[in-house]
Amino acid sequence: MRFTTLAEWLAFQEQLHPVGMDLTLERIALVADRLGLRDAGVPRTVIVAGTNGKGTVATRTAALLQAQGLKVGLFTSPHLLRYNERIRIDGEPVSDADLCRAFEAIDQARADDSLTYFEFGALAAAWLFREQGVAVQVLEVGLGGRLDAVNIWDADVAAITAVDLDHQAWLGDSREAIGREKAGVMRARRPVVLGELEPPTSVLDHARQLDAQALRSGPDFGLKREGAVLHWYCQGRSRIWHVRGAAAEIDGAALLNTATALAVVEALGFGGGLTDATFNQALGISAPGRLQVVQGEPQWLLDVAHNVHAVGELARWLEAHPVDGPVVALVAVMADKERAAMWSRLDGRIDAWVPVPLELPRALSVGALADELEAAGQRSVARVQDVAGAVEEARRRAGPGGRVLVFGSFYTVAAVLDQVPDLARAALSGKAVADPRPGEAVHGA
């Protein structure tokens, strides 16, 4: 074995390929075929693409299938605190030992061909899913779709969530261009679930060209909430579920993403097995860090929103779910994002801002972010020196009856979770609403 620990394997993968992102499929397909990962016996495959909501739809699809007794593999990215979060079987992250075994097999199969960090992960997921006999593998696209590593597998059902501007340098500078890249996960004459009410024309055109079986949110399927009852319709069929707890509160983008996941399950042929009990079980699981509420004093709201569209959904959620006390934002963003529109979307919804220092080359410095927020007219902007200080400042300003909102990037949420172990345990459990034990912030590794 080349390496004995997961940390060693990951460090090796980070340095192996000349560039961190290489949008081609030839190398990973070659290695996958050497490993037999595309031969007969591949699990039924769901591929989920989109700008926003794809992690939520992938996670909810897996939960809906698992609640019906199916063995399900889920591959998502990026992770928040541990690499193992990316690969789950029946909801549980795989072990370090299993990952090391998978990486060893991949390393031997690749011979002299290099792979990116992400390609290693996608292959490891498929290798472990095959080894452990999952019935369905749910694969979240990392970037785009057409040239993303997971697209070497043919989706039995593809899903495309909301399409908006993000990663323009790689995918194009319009929704139509980006939509064409996302549409690459479709397969001829197979189902594709379109989770956006008004998808780009390029997506619809590609579905027609492939004669794909398109299911569109709105015309073909949808989910409506009336109190504690969810009403579902899909291609002329309808049913209701009585929901409880957090499931009885879903609305907005969460409702739309749940409907998209349900349509995927229907297209796979498993929609009829969802009882009230199994439906509530599935809706009790959420993708960590996606509009995730963790109860406490103050309440925490974790959201990896990092583009204008996602921040718009966050703003709508905040308006629909007020709290008695102040709302304090712990925020850090990457310097290449369109930030002015983000701050505009949140006008009047944040009582105080606490920029979070991130030691990343891409991150906007905490001083520049504070200056920018003040110039945009945002009120009460704090300036702190480290993440631990930012967390404590936000807690102090929110008080017992307030809310601490953590948003701006995966890195932001990860940095805060690293400082608050009880919050991290609650968030990474995947429960839609959890209640962490009170705990003091500590310095992470």
Side-chain angles (χ1 to χ4, degrees):
M1 180 177 287
R2 186 192 289 258
F3 302 110
T4 59
T5 69
L6 179 57
E8 289 172 335
W9 273 111
L10 296 178
F12 165 70
Q13 292 167 28
E14 287 174 344
Q15 302 299 321
L16 175 63
H17 199 64
V19 294
M21 191 179 298
D22 188 346
L23 298 182
T24 57
L25 299 182
E26 290 80 7
R27 290 169 297 97
I28 184 175
L30 186 66
V31 178
D33 290 341
R34 289 174 185 159
L35 289 164
L37 297 179
R38 301 198 298 174
D39 296 344
V42 171
R44 298 190 71 184
T45 300
V46 174
I47 295 180
V48 185
T51 305
N52 296 307
K54 64 182 186 292
T56 298
V57 169
T59 301
R60 187 133 290 171
T61 297
L64 288 164
L65 294 168
Q66 183 187 336
Q68 298 178 74
L70 293 165
K71 191 169 188 176
V72 182
L74 174 65
F75 174 62
T76 60
S77 64
H79 60 277
L80 289 173
L81 294 183
R82 296 180 65 230
Y83 184 92
N84 314 57
E85 298 165 33
R86 295 177 178 232
I87 304 175
R88 295 174 181 260
I89 297 177
D90 281 349
E92 293 299 321
V94 298
S95 68
D96 285 12
D98 282 344
L99 282 166
C100 288
R101 287 191 305 106
F103 289 150
E104 176 68 23
I106 294 162
D107 193 45
Q108 290 183 10
R110 74 175 182 84
D112 293 328
D113 296 309
S114 67
L115 294 168
T116 67
Y117 181 91
F118 185 81
E119 289 166 347
F120 253 101
L123 289 168
W127 193 88
L128 289 167
F129 296 161
R130 171 71 74 89
E131 181 195 60
Q132 299 195 27
V134 306
V136 182
Q137 57 182 9
V138 181
L139 310 176
E140 181 196 2
V141 165
L143 181 71
R146 180 176 64 91
L147 295 175
D148 188 79
V150 303
N151 203 36
I152 66 167
W153 289 279
D154 291 326
D156 292 283
V157 179
I160 301 175
T161 64
V163 176
D164 214 280
L165 299 180
D166 203 6
H167 302 294
Q168 291 96 313
W170 295 97
L171 304 178
D173 58 3
S174 69
R175 287 184 76 238
E176 293 299 328
I178 293 172
R180 276 189 288 275
E181 292 298 317
K182 310 287 186 188
V185 300
M186 299 182 195
R187 293 298 186 267
R189 294 174 295 282
R190 292 189 182 180
V192 57
V193 177
L194 305 179
E196 190 170 16
L197 294 173
E198 296 183 6
T201 302
S202 58
V203 172
L204 299 174
D205 286 347
H206 196 66
R208 281 191 288 268
Q209 291 164 11
L210 292 177
D211 194 23
Q213 303 165 29
L215 288 171
R216 289 188 60 180
S217 178
D220 298 318
F221 69 87
L223 194 62
K224 298 178 181 178
R225 181 167 67 87
E226 293 182 2
V229 178
L230 289 179
H231 297 260
W232 165 249
Y233 67 90
C234 184
Q235 293 188 309
R237 302 181 301 278
S238 63
R239 65 177 302 176
I240 64 170
W241 289 284
H242 297 86
V243 290
R244 60 182 183 270
E249 301 297 325
I250 65 170
D251 54 14
L255 200 64
L256 190 62
N257 289 330
T258 300
T260 303
L262 277 167
V264 171
V265 172
E266 288 271 4
L268 281 170
F270 296 108
L274 287 166
T275 64
D276 278 1
T278 55
F279 189 68
N280 276 281
Q281 177 185 335
L283 264 65
I285 303 298
S286 67
R290 277 77 162 184
L291 276 175
Q292 185 182 26
V293 175
V294 181
Q295 298 292 3
E297 295 183 351
Q299 180 194 86
W300 294 83
L301 175 62
L302 310 175
D303 194 21
V304 296
H306 56 273
N307 56 48
V308 176
H309 180 270
V311 171
E313 291 297 333
L314 169 61
R316 282 186 281 275
W317 192 95
L318 290 169
E319 184 174 13
H321 300 85
V323 290
D324 293 335
V327 177
V328 181
L330 278 168
V331 58
V333 293
M334 301 301 106
D336 58 354
K337 298 299 178 181
E338 184 184 348
R339 302 182 302 277
M342 292 187 197
W343 316 142
S344 176
R345 297 289 193 282
L346 290 168
D347 273 346
R349 293 180 173 85
I350 307 296
D351 297 297
W353 297 79
V354 185
V356 178
L358 295 182
E359 294 182 3
L360 293 168
R362 285 182 58 214
L364 189 66
S365 73
V366 68
L369 177 54
D371 290 344
E372 185 173 285
L373 288 167
E374 289 175 344
Q378 300 299 331
R379 55 193 173 188
S380 190
V381 180
R383 296 172 186 261
V384 295
Q385 299 302 312
D386 55 29
V387 180
V391 169
E392 288 309 305
E393 181 68 12
R395 275 177 160 164
R396 183 187 68 79
R397 291 187 179 222
R403 170 185 290 148
V404 176
L405 162 65
V406 186
F407 85 103
S409 76
F410 280 87
Y411 297 111
T412 315
V413 175
V416 171
L417 292 182
D418 192 47
Q419 292 296 319
V420 192
D422 293 331
L423 177 63
R425 280 190 288 271
L428 297 179
S429 72
K431 301 299 182 184
V433 179
D435 197 351
R437 299 184 303 277
E440 295 301 316
V442 297
H443 287 281

PDB file of all heavy atoms in Angstrom, residues 21-43:
ATOM      1  N   MET A  21      -8.418  21.500 -11.413  1.00  0.00           N
ATOM      2  CA  MET A  21      -9.667  21.248 -12.110  1.00  0.00           C
ATOM      3  C   MET A  21      -9.367  20.987 -13.577  1.00  0.00           C
ATOM      4  O   MET A  21      -8.740  21.803 -14.249  1.00  0.00           O
ATOM      5  CB  MET A  21     -10.609  22.456 -11.968  1.00  0.00           C
ATOM      6  CG  MET A  21     -12.030  22.197 -12.426  1.00  0.00           C
ATOM      7  SD  MET A  21     -13.070  23.660 -12.187  1.00  0.00           S
ATOM      8  CE  MET A  21     -12.989  23.853 -10.411  1.00  0.00           C
ATOM      9  N   ASP A  22      -9.787  19.826 -14.069  1.00  0.00           N
ATOM     10  CA  ASP A  22      -9.491  19.431 -15.446  1.00  0.00           C
ATOM     11  C   ASP A  22     -10.757  18.801 -16.008  1.00  0.00           C
ATOM     12  O   ASP A  22     -11.031  17.623 -15.784  1.00  0.00           O
ATOM     13  CB  ASP A  22      -8.327  18.442 -15.471  1.00  0.00           C
ATOM     14  CG  ASP A  22      -7.845  18.152 -16.884  1.00  0.00           C
ATOM     15  OD1 ASP A  22      -8.558  18.496 -17.842  1.00  0.00           O
ATOM     16  OD2 ASP A  22      -6.761  17.571 -17.023  1.00  0.00           O
ATOM     17  N   LEU A  23     -11.567  19.613 -16.706  1.00  0.00           N
ATOM     18  CA  LEU A  23     -12.883  19.164 -17.158  1.00  0.00           C
ATOM     19  C   LEU A  23     -12.773  18.330 -18.427  1.00  0.00           C
ATOM     20  O   LEU A  23     -13.127  18.770 -19.526  1.00  0.00           O
ATOM     21  CB  LEU A  23     -13.805  20.371 -17.360  1.00  0.00           C
ATOM     22  CG  LEU A  23     -14.085  21.191 -16.092  1.00  0.00           C
ATOM     23  CD1 LEU A  23     -15.036  22.332 -16.390  1.00  0.00           C
ATOM     24  CD2 LEU A  23     -14.663  20.305 -14.990  1.00  0.00           C
ATOM     25  N   THR A  24     -12.293  17.117 -18.263  1.00  0.00           N
ATOM     26  CA  THR A  24     -12.277  16.127 -19.340  1.00  0.00           C
ATOM     27  C   THR A  24     -12.693  14.794 -18.724  1.00  0.00           C
ATOM     28  O   THR A  24     -12.537  14.580 -17.515  1.00  0.00           O
ATOM     29  CB  THR A  24     -10.881  15.983 -19.974  1.00  0.00           C
ATOM     30  OG1 THR A  24      -9.945  15.628 -18.950  1.00  0.00           O
ATOM     31  CG2 THR A  24     -10.441  17.273 -20.635  1.00  0.00           C
ATOM     32  N   LEU A  25     -13.219  13.899 -19.549  1.00  0.00           N
ATOM     33  CA  LEU A  25     -13.725  12.633 -19.029  1.00  0.00           C
ATOM     34  C   LEU A  25     -12.873  11.432 -19.420  1.00  0.00           C
ATOM     35  O   LEU A  25     -13.077  10.328 -18.903  1.00  0.00           O
ATOM     36  CB  LEU A  25     -15.161  12.411 -19.532  1.00  0.00           C
ATOM     37  CG  LEU A  25     -16.185  13.453 -19.106  1.00  0.00           C
ATOM     38  CD1 LEU A  25     -17.569  13.082 -19.632  1.00  0.00           C
ATOM     39  CD2 LEU A  25     -16.220  13.594 -17.595  1.00  0.00           C
ATOM     40  N   GLU A  26     -11.901  11.614 -20.312  1.00  0.00           N
ATOM     41  CA  GLU A  26     -11.172  10.466 -20.854  1.00  0.00           C
ATOM     42  C   GLU A  26     -10.389   9.720 -19.780  1.00  0.00           C
ATOM     43  O   GLU A  26     -10.421   8.483 -19.710  1.00  0.00           O
ATOM     44  CB  GLU A  26     -10.220  10.915 -21.965  1.00  0.00           C
ATOM     45  CG  GLU A  26     -10.919  11.359 -23.245  1.00  0.00           C
ATOM     46  CD  GLU A  26     -11.462  12.781 -23.159  1.00  0.00           C
ATOM     47  OE1 GLU A  26     -11.171  13.471 -22.141  1.00  0.00           O
ATOM     48  OE2 GLU A  26     -12.168  13.200 -24.094  1.00  0.00           O
ATOM     49  N   ARG A  27      -9.672  10.444 -18.923  1.00  0.00           N
ATOM     50  CA  ARG A  27      -8.800   9.776 -17.949  1.00  0.00           C
ATOM     51  C   ARG A  27      -9.612   9.015 -16.913  1.00  0.00           C
ATOM     52  O   ARG A  27      -9.333   7.850 -16.615  1.00  0.00           O
ATOM     53  CB  ARG A  27      -7.890  10.802 -17.266  1.00  0.00           C
ATOM     54  CG  ARG A  27      -6.816  11.374 -18.168  1.00  0.00           C
ATOM     55  CD  ARG A  27      -6.101  12.557 -17.554  1.00  0.00           C
ATOM     56  NE  ARG A  27      -6.987  13.692 -17.326  1.00  0.00           N
ATOM     57  CZ  ARG A  27      -7.570  13.982 -16.173  1.00  0.00           C
ATOM     58  NH1 ARG A  27      -7.309  13.265 -15.104  1.00  0.00           N
ATOM     59  NH2 ARG A  27      -8.373  15.022 -16.064  1.00  0.00           N
ATOM     60  N   ILE A  28     -10.641   9.665 -16.355  1.00  0.00           N
ATOM     61  CA  ILE A  28     -11.419   8.983 -15.325  1.00  0.00           C
ATOM     62  C   ILE A  28     -12.198   7.816 -15.908  1.00  0.00           C
ATOM     63  O   ILE A  28     -12.341   6.768 -15.275  1.00  0.00           O
ATOM     64  CB  ILE A  28     -12.355   9.972 -14.590  1.00  0.00           C
ATOM     65  CG1 ILE A  28     -13.076   9.242 -13.442  1.00  0.00           C
ATOM     66  CG2 ILE A  28     -13.318  10.654 -15.522  1.00  0.00           C
ATOM     67  CD1 ILE A  28     -13.930  10.126 -12.581  1.00  0.00           C
ATOM     68  N   ALA A  29     -12.678   7.947 -17.151  1.00  0.00           N
ATOM     69  CA  ALA A  29     -13.406   6.843 -17.778  1.00  0.00           C
ATOM     70  C   ALA A  29     -12.496   5.639 -17.983  1.00  0.00           C
ATOM     71  O   ALA A  29     -12.902   4.483 -17.762  1.00  0.00           O
ATOM     72  CB  ALA A  29     -14.006   7.301 -19.110  1.00  0.00           C
ATOM     73  N   LEU A  30     -11.258   5.901 -18.374  1.00  0.00           N
ATOM     74  CA  LEU A  30     -10.298   4.831 -18.595  1.00  0.00           C
ATOM     75  C   LEU A  30     -10.046   4.062 -17.301  1.00  0.00           C
ATOM     76  O   LEU A  30     -10.055   2.818 -17.277  1.00  0.00           O
ATOM     77  CB  LEU A  30      -8.991   5.415 -19.139  1.00  0.00           C
ATOM     78  CG  LEU A  30      -7.906   4.426 -19.560  1.00  0.00           C
ATOM     79  CD1 LEU A  30      -8.375   3.618 -20.752  1.00  0.00           C
ATOM     80  CD2 LEU A  30      -6.619   5.193 -19.906  1.00  0.00           C
ATOM     81  N   VAL A  31      -9.835   4.783 -16.214  1.00  0.00           N
ATOM     82  CA  VAL A  31      -9.570   4.122 -14.934  1.00  0.00           C
ATOM     83  C   VAL A  31     -10.822   3.393 -14.440  1.00  0.00           C
ATOM     84  O   VAL A  31     -10.741   2.269 -13.928  1.00  0.00           O
ATOM     85  CB  VAL A  31      -9.072   5.141 -13.891  1.00  0.00           C
ATOM     86  CG1 VAL A  31      -8.842   4.458 -12.540  1.00  0.00           C
ATOM     87  CG2 VAL A  31      -7.787   5.809 -14.369  1.00  0.00           C
ATOM     88  N   ALA A  32     -11.984   3.998 -14.599  1.00  0.00           N
ATOM     89  CA  ALA A  32     -13.232   3.348 -14.188  1.00  0.00           C
ATOM     90  C   ALA A  32     -13.415   2.021 -14.915  1.00  0.00           C
ATOM     91  O   ALA A  32     -13.830   1.014 -14.315  1.00  0.00           O
ATOM     92  CB  ALA A  32     -14.413   4.270 -14.452  1.00  0.00           C
ATOM     93  N   ASP A  33     -13.103   2.003 -16.199  1.00  0.00           N
ATOM     94  CA  ASP A  33     -13.266   0.773 -16.969  1.00  0.00           C
ATOM     95  C   ASP A  33     -12.254  -0.291 -16.561  1.00  0.00           C
ATOM     96  O   ASP A  33     -12.560  -1.489 -16.565  1.00  0.00           O
ATOM     97  CB  ASP A  33     -13.170   1.078 -18.463  1.00  0.00           C
ATOM     98  CG  ASP A  33     -14.373   1.861 -18.972  1.00  0.00           C
ATOM     99  OD1 ASP A  33     -15.416   1.849 -18.280  1.00  0.00           O
ATOM    100  OD2 ASP A  33     -14.274   2.496 -20.040  1.00  0.00           O
ATOM    101  N   ARG A  34     -11.046   0.127 -16.217  1.00  0.00           N
ATOM    102  CA  ARG A  34     -10.068  -0.850 -15.715  1.00  0.00           C
ATOM    103  C   ARG A  34     -10.548  -1.503 -14.417  1.00  0.00           C
ATOM    104  O   ARG A  34     -10.238  -2.655 -14.136  1.00  0.00           O
ATOM    105  CB  ARG A  34      -8.723  -0.168 -15.479  1.00  0.00           C
ATOM    106  CG  ARG A  34      -7.975   0.233 -16.750  1.00  0.00           C
ATOM    107  CD  ARG A  34      -6.730   1.034 -16.385  1.00  0.00           C
ATOM    108  NE  ARG A  34      -6.058   1.542 -17.582  1.00  0.00           N
ATOM    109  CZ  ARG A  34      -5.218   2.564 -17.586  1.00  0.00           C
ATOM    110  NH1 ARG A  34      -4.933   3.185 -16.429  1.00  0.00           N
ATOM    111  NH2 ARG A  34      -4.646   2.977 -18.704  1.00  0.00           N
ATOM    112  N   LEU A  35     -11.304  -0.746 -13.635  1.00  0.00           N
ATOM    113  CA  LEU A  35     -11.832  -1.252 -12.366  1.00  0.00           C
ATOM    114  C   LEU A  35     -13.177  -1.956 -12.535  1.00  0.00           C
ATOM    115  O   LEU A  35     -13.722  -2.490 -11.559  1.00  0.00           O
ATOM    116  CB  LEU A  35     -11.996  -0.093 -11.371  1.00  0.00           C
ATOM    117  CG  LEU A  35     -10.710   0.515 -10.824  1.00  0.00           C
ATOM    118  CD1 LEU A  35     -10.984   1.866 -10.175  1.00  0.00           C
ATOM    119  CD2 LEU A  35     -10.057  -0.431  -9.824  1.00  0.00           C
ATOM    120  N   GLY A  36     -13.719  -1.944 -13.745  1.00  0.00           N
ATOM    121  CA  GLY A  36     -15.026  -2.556 -13.982  1.00  0.00           C
ATOM    122  C   GLY A  36     -16.189  -1.803 -13.389  1.00  0.00           C
ATOM    123  O   GLY A  36     -17.253  -2.381 -13.121  1.00  0.00           O
ATOM    124  N   LEU A  37     -16.035  -0.492 -13.197  1.00  0.00           N
ATOM    125  CA  LEU A  37     -17.061   0.289 -12.521  1.00  0.00           C
ATOM    126  C   LEU A  37     -18.183   0.753 -13.447  1.00  0.00           C
ATOM    127  O   LEU A  37     -19.119   1.414 -13.002  1.00  0.00           O
ATOM    128  CB  LEU A  37     -16.432   1.508 -11.824  1.00  0.00           C
ATOM    129  CG  LEU A  37     -15.429   1.176 -10.718  1.00  0.00           C
ATOM    130  CD1 LEU A  37     -14.854   2.443 -10.117  1.00  0.00           C
ATOM    131  CD2 LEU A  37     -16.075   0.306  -9.641  1.00  0.00           C
ATOM    132  N   ARG A  38     -18.070   0.406 -14.745  1.00  0.00           N
ATOM    133  CA  ARG A  38     -19.161   0.735 -15.672  1.00  0.00           C
ATOM    134  C   ARG A  38     -19.661  -0.518 -16.389  1.00  0.00           C
ATOM    135  O   ARG A  38     -20.408  -0.423 -17.355  1.00  0.00           O
ATOM    136  CB  ARG A  38     -18.696   1.787 -16.678  1.00  0.00           C
ATOM    137  CG  ARG A  38     -18.229   3.082 -16.023  1.00  0.00           C
ATOM    138  CD  ARG A  38     -18.202   4.233 -16.997  1.00  0.00           C
ATOM    139  NE  ARG A  38     -17.274   4.023 -18.106  1.00  0.00           N
ATOM    140  CZ  ARG A  38     -17.170   4.844 -19.150  1.00  0.00           C
ATOM    141  NH1 ARG A  38     -17.953   5.901 -19.230  1.00  0.00           N
ATOM    142  NH2 ARG A  38     -16.286   4.607 -20.105  1.00  0.00           N
ATOM    143  N   ASP A  39     -19.274  -1.693 -15.878  1.00  0.00           N
ATOM    144  CA  ASP A  39     -19.726  -2.951 -16.454  1.00  0.00           C
ATOM    145  C   ASP A  39     -21.134  -3.277 -15.982  1.00  0.00           C
ATOM    146  O   ASP A  39     -21.744  -2.525 -15.207  1.00  0.00           O
ATOM    147  CB  ASP A  39     -18.786  -4.091 -16.036  1.00  0.00           C
ATOM    148  CG  ASP A  39     -17.376  -3.903 -16.580  1.00  0.00           C
ATOM    149  OD1 ASP A  39     -17.215  -3.079 -17.499  1.00  0.00           O
ATOM    150  OD2 ASP A  39     -16.451  -4.566 -16.079  1.00  0.00           O
ATOM    151  N   ALA A  40     -21.641  -4.418 -16.430  1.00  0.00           N
ATOM    152  CA  ALA A  40     -22.933  -4.895 -15.943  1.00  0.00           C
ATOM    153  C   ALA A  40     -22.889  -5.001 -14.422  1.00  0.00           C
ATOM    154  O   ALA A  40     -21.886  -5.384 -13.833  1.00  0.00           O
ATOM    155  CB  ALA A  40     -23.246  -6.252 -16.555  1.00  0.00           C
ATOM    156  N   GLY A  41     -23.979  -4.660 -13.794  1.00  0.00           N
ATOM    157  CA  GLY A  41     -24.028  -4.696 -12.342  1.00  0.00           C
ATOM    158  C   GLY A  41     -23.856  -3.351 -11.682  1.00  0.00           C
ATOM    159  O   GLY A  41     -23.882  -3.246 -10.456  1.00  0.00           O
ATOM    160  N   VAL A  42     -23.691  -2.291 -12.498  1.00  0.00           N
ATOM    161  CA  VAL A  42     -23.643  -0.940 -11.926  1.00  0.00           C
ATOM    162  C   VAL A  42     -24.978  -0.658 -11.232  1.00  0.00           C
ATOM    163  O   VAL A  42     -26.037  -0.969 -11.778  1.00  0.00           O
ATOM    164  CB  VAL A  42     -23.389   0.106 -13.031  1.00  0.00           C
ATOM    165  CG1 VAL A  42     -23.558   1.519 -12.493  1.00  0.00           C
ATOM    166  CG2 VAL A  42     -21.991  -0.064 -13.606  1.00  0.00           C
ATOM    167  N   PRO A  43     -24.965  -0.098 -10.019  1.00  0.00           N
ATOM    168  CA  PRO A  43     -26.238   0.237  -9.374  1.00  0.00           C
ATOM    169  C   PRO A  43     -27.055   1.189 -10.236  1.00  0.00           C
ATOM    170  O   PRO A  43     -26.511   1.919 -11.075  1.00  0.00           O
ATOM    171  CB  PRO A  43     -25.801   0.925  -8.067  1.00  0.00           C
ATOM    172  CG  PRO A  43     -24.383   0.527  -7.866  1.00  0.00           C
ATOM    173  CD  PRO A  43     -23.803   0.310  -9.222  1.00  0.00           C
TER     174      PRO A  43
END
